[in-house]
Amino acid sequence: MLRERYLNLIILAILVIIPLWAWVSDEPFTITLVTRAVILALAGVGLNLALGQGGLVSFGHAAYFGIGGYAMGILASHAQNYDPIIEVPFLIEGTNSMPIIWLVAVIAGALSALVIGALSLRTTGVYFIMVTLAFGQMLYYFAISWPAYGGEDGLSIYVRNQFPGVNTLDPMQFFVVCFVILCVVLFLVDRINKSPFGLALDGAHQQEERVQTVGINVYRLRLVAFVISGAITALAGALFADLNRFVSPVMFSWHFSGEIIVFIILGGVARLFGPVVGACLFILLEHILGDLSDYWHIYLGAILLFVVLFAKGGILGFLSKKEVPHAG
Amino acid sequence: MSVILLIEQVLNGLQFGVMLFLMAAGLTLIFGVMGLINLAHGSLYMVGAFAAAAVAGWTGSFLLALAASLAAAAAFGALIELTVIRRLYARDHLDQVLATFALILIFSEATRWTFGSFPLFLDTPDWLSGTVMLPGGIEYSLYRLTIIGIGLVVAVALFLLISKTRVGMRIRAGENDREMIGALGVDISILYTLVFALGAALAGLSGALVGAIQSVEVGMGEPVLILAFVVIVIGGIGSIKGALFGAILVGLTDTLGRTLLPVLFGTFMEASSATTIGSALASMLIYILMAGVLVFRPTGLFGSA
């Protein structure tokens, strides 16, 4: 069977070849579809750090996705209307520069993950699942009832934000931006997983007492992982908002929190490329089954049920036939 | 704000609370006995509401509709327990979450396929519509008062079932040590199916009762499910008493927060921004309550260990 590292390279190659082929044959829709998959994969990579490596089943990661989305929406809408965000005590203006928006999204995602994580990590197991779900829902209702930025209707941004030297409105160029970010994040997450921090996090997942005994503060360890995880997912949210040029409370919905977990499970828990494969498969299923039937969620549900009950390890587990020590 | 309006809101909060209790009781029972987190509980709530709306449409009888909601939810509950859920007891929580998430997708789409995307309406029967005069000159909806009554009766019945009957004894024994009661000759798998169907029936009943106030539509179960989770986190998992207490606390906090906060903010800011900030904060109030409970008692008010 294939070594997982080669498998991962093949996956990246496929992710480049499909849009290239679509670019040559002039099918911008396909490029946008792959871009969507790449962005959702990024959200999944974020969650996988907490869920796969750390064993923290967060059912509220839509919160950070939504926060990233609104970071983009708020900054860009102020820039679009030429009206500053705050004037006193000092002037803060909106912006349509992607790097600044990403930075703000990452910081906002990290801060909210710090607060939510600090509270949620006081609990474990089922409590943790329910509490993260509840906090996600809290932000969802807040976004709906706060009228300043569109409330339930959301916010439209008419022009995609700028990245120096790139025409972001061109689907192929925007894809490249997203793809490079995914690769950088995958590289960083891989480094984190192999660092002493990542090993301790994995150890705490398997045997909490042992990690505690060697003098590591497990609570702090998990909180840091949760914050990094939230920040990555927020970055994905900002990109997703830019892809659609639209943000709405739907980005916060619990349904999306469930879907990110689904990406990870379809691809393979605690595997670096698990969420990438899962997100691509999800988009593919959505596209194919959605064409066949309006009720495609039934088939998605059936496939998911099958994978959970009978095919642990997901697609990558099936293809590489090698157990990850910390899966499950 | 007049006292009468305030009492009315307290009653509304109670009504919301007992409905949440019907949901939370099933969830907490299923978690306590089988150690299972069941996201599809909201789907059973929806099944109950749709069964009631359909039967009320055919027969015109509200009592038959309620019976149908209990029967349909219990039947679907038993069905999914036998086919899917029982494979999950030994799995970790992540698998349980995903499998029951898959069940939500299947249930929601199957319901949409059967009944269409438009909401159905379940009318309150004539003999329960209108208002009653409460002591102190308060006029209050008879139907909502009946819901409060039904909820309290169910709470007492559930308490008696668990503390006084043989089945209840087995359920409690199952919570404490499932291997031991299996060794004593109790058929655990039948007990599990029974507990699951009981929880499902309560969810279905709650769906039908609320369906007559709101509309009956696909996806109606999940917001209630998440609120029921908040209730359980506040009350403590596995505790029926905690579920009752938590449900009423959440029901009152939410209802009163929505009424009082805009008024409260109105005392020191201008009316329009008071309404905005007040209602935005009110929508977050129960989660703030939950966070507060977590800080002081991470296992909930009545939870152990």
Side-chain angles (χ1 to χ4, degrees):
Chain A
M1 277 293 164
L2 287 164
R3 293 272 301 279
E4 197 172 326
R5 187 147 49 105
Y6 296 118
L7 206 58
N8 293 347
L9 286 177
I10 295 173
I11 294 160
L12 281 186
I14 293 174
L15 271 180
V16 176
I17 291 168
I18 293 176
L20 269 180
W21 166 81
W23 184 53
V24 171
S25 50
D26 197 27
E27 285 185 53
F29 177 71
T30 309
I31 303 178
T32 306
L33 212 58
V34 180
T35 312
R36 216 170 104 88
V38 164
I39 294 171
L40 294 182
L42 184 63
V45 170
L47 178 60
N48 203 19
L49 183 65
L51 189 148
Q53 192 82 359
L56 309 168
V57 184
S58 164
F59 206 138
H61 256 54
Y64 317 112
F65 195 68
I67 282 171
Y70 271 89
M72 173 273 179
I74 290 170
L75 287 172
S77 74
H78 280 282
Q80 167 173 299
N81 302 333
Y82 300 104
D83 104 78
I85 298 174
I86 340 178
E87 280 169 296
V88 270
F90 41 83
L91 185 75
I92 298 181
E93 288 194 80
T95 175
N96 55 13
S97 150
M98 278 190 188
I100 298 177
I101 288 174
W102 295 340
L103 188 68
V104 172
V106 165
I107 291 171
L111 285 179
S112 50
L114 182 67
V115 174
I116 293 178
L119 286 165
S120 313
L121 284 168
R122 295 174 61 87
T123 67
T124 50
V126 181
Y127 274 105
F128 185 78
I129 300 174
M130 292 181 184
V131 170
T132 47
L133 178 60
F135 279 125
Q137 200 69 358
M138 172 176 98
L139 289 172
Y140 173 71
Y141 284 120
F142 180 73
I144 282 185
S145 57
W146 190 254
Y149 295 104
E152 206 162 349
D153 300 329
L155 263 179
S156 281
I157 304 300
Y158 303 110
V159 182
R160 198 170 275 161
N161 296 302
Q162 310 288 319
F163 188 86
V166 176
N167 173 14
T168 50
L169 276 172
D170 177 63
M172 192 61 198
Q173 298 194 23
F174 186 61
F175 165 80
V176 171
V177 169
C178 296
F179 184 75
V180 168
I181 290 181
L182 177 68
C183 290
V184 169
V185 170
L186 278 171
F187 174 75
L188 290 177
V189 169
D190 189 43
R191 301 301 304 178
I192 290 175
N193 285 346
K194 288 172 181 156
S195 70
F197 166 78
L199 294 178
L201 184 67
D202 184 28
H205 179 191
Q206 297 177 52
Q207 256 298 355
E208 187 174 338
E209 287 81 5
R210 280 193 195 167
V211 176
Q212 214 140 31
T213 314
V214 297
I216 296 173
N217 183 336
V218 172
Y219 176 82
R220 203 180 301 160
L221 191 72
R222 288 184 171 152
L223 187 57
V224 173
F226 197 78
V227 167
I228 299 174
S229 162
I232 296 174
T233 306
L235 179 60
L239 289 173
F240 191 75
D242 239 331
L243 175 70
N244 298 326
R245 278 168 278 161
F246 177 66
V247 276
S248 77
V250 174
M251 287 181 77
F252 280 112
S253 79
W254 71 273
H255 220 270
F256 185 70
S257 298
E259 278 172 12
I260 315 181
I261 305 183
V262 172
F263 303 155
I264 297 178
I265 296 303
L266 285 181
V269 181
R271 291 173 194 272
L272 184 63
F273 274 68
V276 180
V277 175
C280 294
L281 190 69
F282 187 87
I283 295 289
L284 198 67
L285 284 175
E286 186 180 52
H287 193 60
I288 296 172
L289 295 177
D291 273 353
L292 286 179
S293 154
D294 282 346
Y295 305 104
W296 73 280
H297 274 118
I298 290 193
Y299 305 111
L300 177 68
I303 292 171
L304 180 58
L305 206 53
F306 177 82
V307 171
V308 173
L309 290 179
F310 305 109
K312 286 218 73 179
I315 305 280
L316 283 182
F318 176 73
L319 288 177
S320 70
K321 287 279 188 233
K322 185 170 151 271
E323 288 281 315
V324 239
H326 39 252
Chain B
M1 163 153 311
S2 68
V3 178
I4 291 186
L5 194 64
L6 192 67
I7 294 179
E8 229 172 64
Q9 291 303 328
V10 169
L11 285 172
N12 281 343
L14 265 182
Q15 178 258 310
F16 186 34
V18 299
M19 283 300 91
L20 284 178
F21 168 69
L22 290 185
M23 282 291 282
L27 273 176
T28 206
L29 206 58
I30 289 168
F31 183 79
V33 179
M34 286 95 102
L36 175 99
I37 173 168
N38 178 24
L39 295 182
H41 210 65
S43 300
L44 296 164
Y45 173 90
M46 178 184 72
V47 165
F50 271 93
V55 168
W58 292 328
T59 63
S61 158
F62 188 69
L63 287 179
L64 277 182
L66 285 190
S69 74
L70 282 168
F76 273 102
L79 180 73
I80 59 172
E81 202 277 339
L82 290 170
T83 50
V84 177
I85 303 285
R86 66 172 39 182
R87 297 169 197 275
L88 298 171
Y89 295 141
R91 299 292 196 87
D92 60 17
H93 295 314
L94 179 61
D95 285 356
Q96 298 174 350
V97 162
L98 280 157
T100 51
F101 182 70
L103 285 177
I104 293 184
L105 296 177
I106 296 171
F107 265 106
S108 295
E109 289 300 304
T111 312
R112 202 195 308 277
W113 186 63
T114 317
F115 290 94
S117 301
F118 292 103
L120 300 181
F121 292 96
L122 177 62
D123 293 323
T124 51
D126 290 336
W127 45 276
L128 278 179
S129 51
T131 57
V132 279
M133 202 57 124
L134 295 179
I138 301 156
E139 245 184 283
Y140 193 67
S141 150
L142 176 60
Y143 184 72
R144 284 176 187 265
L145 207 60
T146 313
I147 292 186
I148 298 178
I150 293 177
L152 295 180
V153 168
V154 170
V156 171
L158 209 55
F159 176 73
L160 291 178
L161 175 79
I162 287 177
S163 62
K164 303 286 181 207
T165 66
R166 183 163 282 270
V167 176
M169 201 166 74
R170 287 180 175 166
I171 291 177
R172 276 180 291 142
E175 279 180 338
N176 285 331
D177 192 336
R178 60 194 78 164
E179 274 175 33
M180 196 57 176
I181 80 157
L184 290 173
V186 176
D187 188 338
I188 299 237
S189 56
I190 291 183
L191 183 73
Y192 282 3
T193 312
L194 200 73
V195 169
F196 199 85
L198 174 69
L202 291 178
L205 176 67
S206 150
L209 288 172
V210 172
I213 306 181
Q214 297 159 359
S215 58
V216 175
E217 58 193 332
V218 174
M220 65 188 285
E222 280 70 46
V224 184
L225 173 84
I226 295 167
L227 287 181
F229 280 161
V230 174
V231 164
I232 292 179
V233 169
I234 289 176
I237 299 184
S239 158
I240 300 274
K241 194 168 50 167
L244 182 62
F245 187 80
I248 290 179
L249 192 63
V250 167
L252 286 176
T253 308
D254 190 59
T255 312
L256 292 179
R258 280 175 206 283
T259 329
L260 294 182
L261 277 184
V263 180
L264 188 71
F265 280 101
T267 54
F268 57 86
M269 4 171 112
E270 56 170 323
S272 66
S273 56
T275 316
T276 310
I277 298 177
S279 55
L281 195 62
S283 70
M284 299 167 70
L285 202 58
I286 53 170
Y287 305 102
I288 296 170
L289 176 73
M290 179 186 79
V293 170
L294 280 180
V295 169
F296 295 106
R297 296 210 51 151
T299 53
L301 297 175
F302 293 87
S304 49

